Amino acid sequence: MAAPLWPRANESGGWPEQGGAGPGARRLATALLFLAAVALPCLVLYRAVAPGGVLVQPAARLPWLQAGAPPHDDDDVDLESESEDVRLERVLRAAAMANDTVILTTLNSAWAEPGSMVDVFLESFRLGEHTRELLDHLVIVSLDLAAHRRCKQIHPHCLAVATEGVDFSGQKNFMTDGYLRMMWRRIDFLRQVLEKGYSFIFTDTDIVWLRSPLPRLYAEGDFQIACDHFTGDPDDVLGNAPNGGFAYARANTETVELYRYWYAARERHPGLHDQDVLNLIKADRYLAEVGVRIRFLSTEFFGGLCEPSRNLSAVCTMHANCCVGLRRKIADLTLILHDWRSFMSLRGPDKRSAASWSVPRNCSLDKVEE
């Protein structure tokens, strides 16, 4: 029988004397225990003192590690020690569902500030039906360091994606050069996710999730996308007006080629953003030859301010599209969450059927952010 790793206590509850040791050995052992008891606190105190003689506080008490405060530079160690590809694989693996699907959103510092867009976005997951658990599968892709630091304070799955020579940190007004660069960087990144074998649901951060959209995705369709205008036919490639703010892509060779073709098409259509370019290429013969099946999601379930869902008993997401200006977006999305709370408090089918949105109120394409 193998000997135990630690000696067993004797019947009196003490440890057995080894080798017939007598009182002298016991006195020596007592003295050694006393010295250890004195030395250990001194060692701990020594290690807690910085080279300059300043006592280092426990991490939980450091002011820059509190919620809402700038994090310590140690938060950026993973950015320096790992390549972007390694970080991508690690974060996707940690967040993936059983079928290797992840939920992705992108964030820059303008939308990451406390009380800004990302807080409204995450709050919707906590309020929605069967959406809270989806947070476990959400990856926030930060386009600048400040957004990455804020993400790490509020969410477990964060990925920093940099673009050399481009600053994505400030607010990017619609159709400015910075906005276009940010949109196209997103398309290229999503292709990389597909190439790694992960399917994804992409969502803009200015979308609130009110119900799980998973049951409303089509069983058939490689690429499924929300609409600014939906004709009623999910296969109407020419008539439906896609909106890139919400899309599902199944990881396969067809969708990888779709995203590669889409990204390359920016050079044939300079000055246009990704959504307009998709609208121009969606019926191209080449995509038919590739075999990718594109389907369009109904605005009844995937609504927005362009074409709001009128059915609060069925709506899954609401998008602050057809809206210019960060503050206006936040204001109307906050109203949507207020309407949603009121709707959920109603009892009886008749009351619920009469519920409606109080938006758009602040949003309009002819308004410019002050």
Tab-separated table of all heavy atoms in Angstrom, residues 129-130 210-212 215-216 299-302 308-318 339-340 342-357:
chain	number	residue	atom	x	y	z
A	129	GLU	N	-36.497	39.191	-23.033
A	129	GLU	CA	-36.928	37.812	-22.795
A	129	GLU	C	-35.898	36.843	-23.371
A	129	GLU	O	-35.618	36.864	-24.574
A	129	GLU	CB	-38.290	37.557	-23.452
A	129	GLU	CG	-39.455	38.249	-22.763
A	129	GLU	CD	-40.789	37.838	-23.362
A	129	GLU	OE1	-40.812	37.305	-24.503
A	129	GLU	OE2	-41.820	38.045	-22.704
A	130	HIS	N	-35.325	36.029	-22.496
A	130	HIS	CA	-34.338	35.007	-22.894
A	130	HIS	C	-33.119	35.630	-23.596
A	130	HIS	O	-32.558	35.046	-24.531
A	130	HIS	CB	-34.981	33.964	-23.802
A	130	HIS	CG	-36.218	33.348	-23.221
A	130	HIS	ND1	-36.206	32.580	-22.074
A	130	HIS	CD2	-37.524	33.404	-23.614
A	130	HIS	CE1	-37.430	32.184	-21.792
A	130	HIS	NE2	-38.257	32.674	-22.706
A	210	LEU	N	-34.677	42.754	-27.310
A	210	LEU	CA	-35.863	42.630	-26.466
A	210	LEU	C	-36.309	41.179	-26.296
A	210	LEU	O	-36.925	40.831	-25.293
A	210	LEU	CB	-37.001	43.471	-27.047
A	210	LEU	CG	-36.639	44.948	-27.282
A	210	LEU	CD1	-37.781	45.672	-27.979
A	210	LEU	CD2	-36.273	45.638	-25.974
A	211	ARG	N	-36.020	40.363	-27.280
A	211	ARG	CA	-36.245	38.914	-27.206
A	211	ARG	C	-35.088	38.221	-27.905
A	211	ARG	O	-34.428	38.810	-28.765
A	211	ARG	CB	-37.546	38.503	-27.898
A	211	ARG	CG	-38.813	38.892	-27.181
A	211	ARG	CD	-40.048	38.308	-27.882
A	211	ARG	NE	-41.264	38.660	-27.152
A	211	ARG	CZ	-41.930	39.797	-27.312
A	211	ARG	NH1	-41.503	40.683	-28.222
A	211	ARG	NH2	-43.007	40.050	-26.605
A	212	SER	N	-34.874	36.967	-27.555
A	212	SER	CA	-33.848	36.211	-28.276
A	212	SER	C	-34.237	36.111	-29.749
A	212	SER	O	-35.342	35.660	-30.074
A	212	SER	CB	-33.700	34.813	-27.685
A	212	SER	OG	-32.854	34.032	-28.519
A	215	PRO	N	-34.765	32.044	-32.462
A	215	PRO	CA	-35.875	31.300	-33.097
A	215	PRO	C	-36.383	31.950	-34.382
A	215	PRO	O	-37.107	31.300	-35.152
A	215	PRO	CB	-36.965	31.306	-32.016
A	215	PRO	CG	-36.259	31.599	-30.732
A	215	PRO	CD	-35.125	32.497	-31.102
A	216	ARG	N	-36.038	33.218	-34.620
A	216	ARG	CA	-36.546	33.928	-35.793
A	216	ARG	C	-35.578	33.896	-36.976
A	216	ARG	O	-35.890	34.441	-38.039
A	216	ARG	CB	-36.863	35.381	-35.433
A	216	ARG	CG	-37.959	35.524	-34.387
A	216	ARG	CD	-39.265	34.924	-34.867
A	216	ARG	NE	-40.350	35.126	-33.903
A	216	ARG	CZ	-41.588	34.699	-34.083
A	216	ARG	NH1	-41.903	34.030	-35.187
A	216	ARG	NH2	-42.524	34.909	-33.167
A	299	THR	N	-38.933	43.018	-40.757
A	299	THR	CA	-38.919	44.119	-39.792
A	299	THR	C	-39.972	43.924	-38.704
A	299	THR	O	-39.984	44.674	-37.718
A	299	THR	CB	-39.155	45.462	-40.499
A	299	THR	OG1	-40.314	45.375	-41.333
A	299	THR	CG2	-37.956	45.853	-41.334
A	300	GLU	N	-40.847	42.940	-38.834
A	300	GLU	CA	-41.769	42.621	-37.737
A	300	GLU	C	-40.991	42.113	-36.532
A	300	GLU	O	-41.348	42.397	-35.381
A	300	GLU	CB	-42.804	41.576	-38.168
A	300	GLU	CG	-43.766	41.207	-37.037
A	300	GLU	CD	-44.769	40.137	-37.437
A	300	GLU	OE1	-44.604	39.526	-38.521
A	300	GLU	OE2	-45.716	39.906	-36.659
A	301	PHE	N	-39.921	41.355	-36.802
A	301	PHE	CA	-39.114	40.792	-35.723
A	301	PHE	C	-37.824	41.574	-35.494
A	301	PHE	O	-37.326	41.653	-34.377
A	301	PHE	CB	-38.774	39.328	-36.034
A	301	PHE	CG	-39.968	38.494	-36.381
A	301	PHE	CD1	-40.082	37.887	-37.627
A	301	PHE	CD2	-41.001	38.328	-35.470
A	301	PHE	CE1	-41.188	37.121	-37.951
A	301	PHE	CE2	-42.122	37.563	-35.787
A	301	PHE	CZ	-42.208	36.959	-37.024
A	302	PHE	N	-37.289	42.138	-36.571
A	302	PHE	CA	-36.026	42.876	-36.508
A	302	PHE	C	-36.301	44.305	-36.985
A	302	PHE	O	-36.011	44.664	-38.115
A	302	PHE	CB	-34.966	42.188	-37.370
A	302	PHE	CG	-34.716	40.758	-36.965
A	302	PHE	CD1	-35.459	39.721	-37.522
A	302	PHE	CD2	-33.757	40.457	-36.011
A	302	PHE	CE1	-35.247	38.404	-37.143
A	302	PHE	CE2	-33.536	39.140	-35.625
A	302	PHE	CZ	-34.280	38.114	-36.180
A	308	PRO	N	-40.385	50.609	-37.987
A	308	PRO	CA	-40.543	49.971	-36.678
A	308	PRO	C	-41.458	48.756	-36.725
A	308	PRO	O	-42.434	48.723	-37.479
A	308	PRO	CB	-41.167	51.079	-35.813
A	308	PRO	CG	-40.896	52.362	-36.541
A	308	PRO	CD	-40.881	51.993	-37.994
A	309	SER	N	-41.112	47.755	-35.912
A	309	SER	CA	-42.037	46.645	-35.715
A	309	SER	C	-43.234	47.154	-34.926
A	309	SER	O	-43.082	47.793	-33.889
A	309	SER	CB	-41.349	45.518	-34.941
A	309	SER	OG	-42.309	44.559	-34.532
A	310	ARG	N	-44.411	46.884	-35.408
A	310	ARG	CA	-45.626	47.306	-34.711
A	310	ARG	C	-46.154	46.233	-33.772
A	310	ARG	O	-47.147	46.454	-33.076
A	310	ARG	CB	-46.707	47.673	-35.737
A	310	ARG	CG	-46.316	48.800	-36.686
A	310	ARG	CD	-45.996	50.084	-35.938
A	310	ARG	NE	-45.557	51.157	-36.826
A	310	ARG	CZ	-45.116	52.341	-36.409
A	310	ARG	NH1	-45.033	52.583	-35.110
A	310	ARG	NH2	-44.728	53.261	-37.280
A	311	ASN	N	-45.501	45.100	-33.764
A	311	ASN	CA	-45.968	43.970	-32.962
A	311	ASN	C	-45.036	43.778	-31.774
A	311	ASN	O	-44.029	43.084	-31.862
A	311	ASN	CB	-46.019	42.713	-33.832
A	311	ASN	CG	-46.674	41.546	-33.113
A	311	ASN	OD1	-46.955	41.602	-31.912
A	311	ASN	ND2	-46.917	40.475	-33.841
A	312	LEU	N	-45.366	44.405	-30.642
A	312	LEU	CA	-44.515	44.292	-29.462
A	312	LEU	C	-44.521	42.887	-28.879
A	312	LEU	O	-43.643	42.534	-28.094
A	312	LEU	CB	-44.929	45.303	-28.393
A	312	LEU	CG	-44.292	46.695	-28.509
A	312	LEU	CD1	-44.855	47.457	-29.702
A	312	LEU	CD2	-44.480	47.501	-27.230
A	313	SER	N	-45.491	42.075	-29.275
A	313	SER	CA	-45.546	40.697	-28.795
A	313	SER	C	-44.629	39.773	-29.588
A	313	SER	O	-44.468	38.604	-29.230
A	313	SER	CB	-46.985	40.164	-28.869
A	313	SER	OG	-47.820	40.884	-28.000
A	314	ALA	N	-44.020	40.282	-30.657
A	314	ALA	CA	-43.167	39.445	-31.495
A	314	ALA	C	-41.775	40.028	-31.712
A	314	ALA	O	-40.839	39.291	-32.022
A	314	ALA	CB	-43.825	39.212	-32.854
A	315	VAL	N	-41.619	41.342	-31.560
A	315	VAL	CA	-40.361	42.002	-31.892
A	315	VAL	C	-39.196	41.428	-31.078
A	315	VAL	O	-39.325	41.138	-29.893
A	315	VAL	CB	-40.473	43.525	-31.675
A	315	VAL	CG1	-40.741	43.856	-30.202
A	315	VAL	CG2	-39.237	44.243	-32.179
A	316	CYS	N	-38.066	41.266	-31.756
A	316	CYS	CA	-36.842	40.769	-31.094
A	316	CYS	C	-35.832	41.881	-30.879
A	316	CYS	O	-35.240	41.987	-29.797
A	316	CYS	CB	-36.208	39.665	-31.940
A	316	CYS	SG	-37.251	38.208	-32.158
A	317	THR	N	-35.606	42.689	-31.906
A	317	THR	CA	-34.623	43.765	-31.803
A	317	THR	C	-35.192	45.049	-32.399
A	317	THR	O	-36.038	45.014	-33.293
A	317	THR	CB	-33.312	43.418	-32.548
A	317	THR	OG1	-33.594	43.244	-33.951
A	317	THR	CG2	-32.680	42.140	-31.999
A	318	MET	N	-34.704	46.179	-31.887
A	318	MET	CA	-35.042	47.484	-32.452
A	318	MET	C	-33.758	48.277	-32.631
A	318	MET	O	-32.946	48.385	-31.707
A	318	MET	CB	-36.010	48.236	-31.550
A	318	MET	CG	-37.460	47.774	-31.684
A	318	MET	SD	-38.257	48.328	-33.216
A	318	MET	CE	-38.564	50.054	-32.838
A	339	ASP	N	-40.643	51.947	-23.051
A	339	ASP	CA	-41.855	51.363	-23.629
A	339	ASP	C	-41.902	49.855	-23.375
A	339	ASP	O	-42.973	49.289	-23.105
A	339	ASP	CB	-41.912	51.628	-25.132
A	339	ASP	CG	-42.101	53.101	-25.463
A	339	ASP	OD1	-42.524	53.864	-24.584
A	339	ASP	OD2	-41.797	53.476	-26.616
A	340	TRP	N	-40.743	49.220	-23.471
A	340	TRP	CA	-40.675	47.771	-23.276
A	340	TRP	C	-41.025	47.406	-21.829
A	340	TRP	O	-41.792	46.458	-21.595
A	340	TRP	CB	-39.288	47.256	-23.635
A	340	TRP	CG	-39.105	45.792	-23.378
A	340	TRP	CD1	-38.391	45.205	-22.377
A	340	TRP	CD2	-39.657	44.716	-24.147
A	340	TRP	NE1	-38.465	43.838	-22.462
A	340	TRP	CE2	-39.232	43.516	-23.544
A	340	TRP	CE3	-40.472	44.666	-25.274
A	340	TRP	CZ2	-39.594	42.270	-24.036
A	340	TRP	CZ3	-40.829	43.413	-25.770
A	340	TRP	CH2	-40.395	42.230	-25.144
A	342	SER	N	-42.928	49.090	-19.829
A	342	SER	CA	-44.369	49.311	-19.685
A	342	SER	C	-45.158	48.169	-20.303
A	342	SER	O	-46.141	47.673	-19.730
A	342	SER	CB	-44.770	50.643	-20.340
A	342	SER	OG	-44.102	51.724	-19.726
A	343	PHE	N	-44.714	47.727	-21.474
A	343	PHE	CA	-45.385	46.619	-22.157
A	343	PHE	C	-45.332	45.344	-21.317
A	343	PHE	O	-46.343	44.641	-21.175
A	343	PHE	CB	-44.742	46.391	-23.524
A	343	PHE	CG	-45.183	45.136	-24.218
A	343	PHE	CD1	-46.428	45.071	-24.836
A	343	PHE	CD2	-44.359	44.017	-24.256
A	343	PHE	CE1	-46.840	43.914	-25.479
A	343	PHE	CE2	-44.774	42.862	-24.891
A	343	PHE	CZ	-46.009	42.811	-25.505
A	344	MET	N	-44.172	45.047	-20.748
A	344	MET	CA	-44.016	43.824	-19.979
A	344	MET	C	-44.812	43.850	-18.676
A	344	MET	O	-45.102	42.797	-18.100
A	344	MET	CB	-42.533	43.584	-19.685
A	344	MET	CG	-41.699	43.292	-20.916
A	344	MET	SD	-42.261	41.825	-21.812
A	344	MET	CE	-41.776	40.537	-20.661
A	345	SER	N	-45.166	45.049	-18.214
A	345	SER	CA	-45.948	45.151	-16.979
A	345	SER	C	-47.448	44.978	-17.224
A	345	SER	O	-48.222	44.820	-16.284
A	345	SER	CB	-45.698	46.505	-16.307
A	345	SER	OG	-46.252	47.561	-17.076
A	346	LEU	N	-47.856	45.014	-18.491
A	346	LEU	CA	-49.275	44.874	-18.819
A	346	LEU	C	-49.738	43.434	-18.625
A	346	LEU	O	-48.971	42.492	-18.825
A	346	LEU	CB	-49.532	45.306	-20.261
A	346	LEU	CG	-49.259	46.767	-20.605
A	346	LEU	CD1	-49.442	46.996	-22.097
A	346	LEU	CD2	-50.176	47.691	-19.805
A	347	ARG	N	-50.987	43.277	-18.265
A	347	ARG	CA	-51.563	41.944	-18.088
A	347	ARG	C	-52.793	41.826	-18.976
A	347	ARG	O	-53.625	42.732	-19.031
A	347	ARG	CB	-51.956	41.714	-16.622
A	347	ARG	CG	-50.759	41.675	-15.679
A	347	ARG	CD	-49.879	40.448	-15.967
A	347	ARG	NE	-48.688	40.411	-15.101
A	347	ARG	CZ	-47.506	40.892	-15.444
A	347	ARG	NH1	-47.352	41.456	-16.647
A	347	ARG	NH2	-46.488	40.814	-14.617
A	348	GLY	N	-52.883	40.721	-19.668
A	348	GLY	CA	-54.035	40.491	-20.535
A	348	GLY	C	-53.705	40.769	-21.984
A	348	GLY	O	-53.063	41.769	-22.306
A	349	PRO	N	-54.151	39.892	-22.893
A	349	PRO	CA	-53.829	40.039	-24.330
A	349	PRO	C	-54.384	41.305	-24.950
A	349	PRO	O	-53.789	41.868	-25.857
A	349	PRO	CB	-54.448	38.777	-24.953
A	349	PRO	CG	-55.496	38.326	-23.977
A	349	PRO	CD	-54.987	38.710	-22.618
A	350	ASP	N	-55.533	41.776	-24.480
A	350	ASP	CA	-56.129	42.973	-25.070
A	350	ASP	C	-55.262	44.203	-24.804
A	350	ASP	O	-55.040	45.030	-25.693
A	350	ASP	CB	-57.535	43.201	-24.511
A	350	ASP	CG	-58.506	42.108	-24.948
A	350	ASP	OD1	-58.210	41.460	-25.967
A	350	ASP	OD2	-59.521	41.921	-24.273
A	351	LYS	N	-54.757	44.332	-23.579
A	351	LYS	CA	-53.913	45.473	-23.234
A	351	LYS	C	-52.608	45.425	-24.019
A	351	LYS	O	-52.127	46.436	-24.515
A	351	LYS	CB	-53.625	45.480	-21.730
A	351	LYS	CG	-54.828	45.855	-20.871
A	351	LYS	CD	-54.441	45.938	-19.399
A	351	LYS	CE	-55.638	46.350	-18.553
A	351	LYS	NZ	-55.269	46.441	-17.112
A	352	ARG	N	-52.048	44.225	-24.135
A	352	ARG	CA	-50.777	44.109	-24.848
A	352	ARG	C	-50.927	44.405	-26.326
A	352	ARG	O	-50.038	44.970	-26.946
A	352	ARG	CB	-50.171	42.721	-24.636
A	352	ARG	CG	-49.595	42.519	-23.240
A	352	ARG	CD	-48.591	41.392	-23.215
A	352	ARG	NE	-47.796	41.422	-21.998
A	352	ARG	CZ	-46.676	40.725	-21.834
A	352	ARG	NH1	-46.224	39.954	-22.806
A	352	ARG	NH2	-46.001	40.808	-20.713
A	353	SER	N	-52.045	44.031	-26.905
A	353	SER	CA	-52.230	44.252	-28.343
A	353	SER	C	-52.359	45.738	-28.660
A	353	SER	O	-52.118	46.158	-29.794
A	353	SER	CB	-53.481	43.506	-28.834
A	353	SER	OG	-54.647	44.026	-28.210
A	354	ALA	N	-52.738	46.542	-27.664
A	354	ALA	CA	-52.899	47.975	-27.889
A	354	ALA	C	-51.613	48.754	-27.644
A	354	ALA	O	-51.567	49.968	-27.880
A	354	ALA	CB	-54.004	48.520	-26.976
A	355	ALA	N	-50.558	48.079	-27.169
A	355	ALA	CA	-49.307	48.773	-26.851
A	355	ALA	C	-48.618	49.256	-28.131
A	355	ALA	O	-48.729	48.630	-29.193
A	355	ALA	CB	-48.379	47.837	-26.079
A	356	SER	N	-47.912	50.370	-28.023
A	356	SER	CA	-47.209	50.922	-29.183
A	356	SER	C	-45.955	51.652	-28.719
A	356	SER	O	-45.768	51.925	-27.525
A	356	SER	CB	-48.120	51.875	-29.959
A	356	SER	OG	-48.489	52.974	-29.132
A	357	TRP	N	-45.091	51.991	-29.683
A	357	TRP	CA	-43.852	52.702	-29.384
A	357	TRP	C	-44.101	54.207	-29.280
A	357	TRP	O	-44.988	54.743	-29.947
A	357	TRP	CB	-42.816	52.464	-30.487
A	357	TRP	CG	-42.429	51.045	-30.733
A	357	TRP	CD1	-42.656	50.331	-31.874
A	357	TRP	CD2	-41.738	50.178	-29.838
A	357	TRP	NE1	-42.150	49.062	-31.740
A	357	TRP	CE2	-41.575	48.934	-30.502
A	357	TRP	CE3	-41.243	50.308	-28.539
A	357	TRP	CZ2	-40.940	47.846	-29.915
A	357	TRP	CZ3	-40.603	49.224	-27.950
A	357	TRP	CH2	-40.457	48.017	-28.626
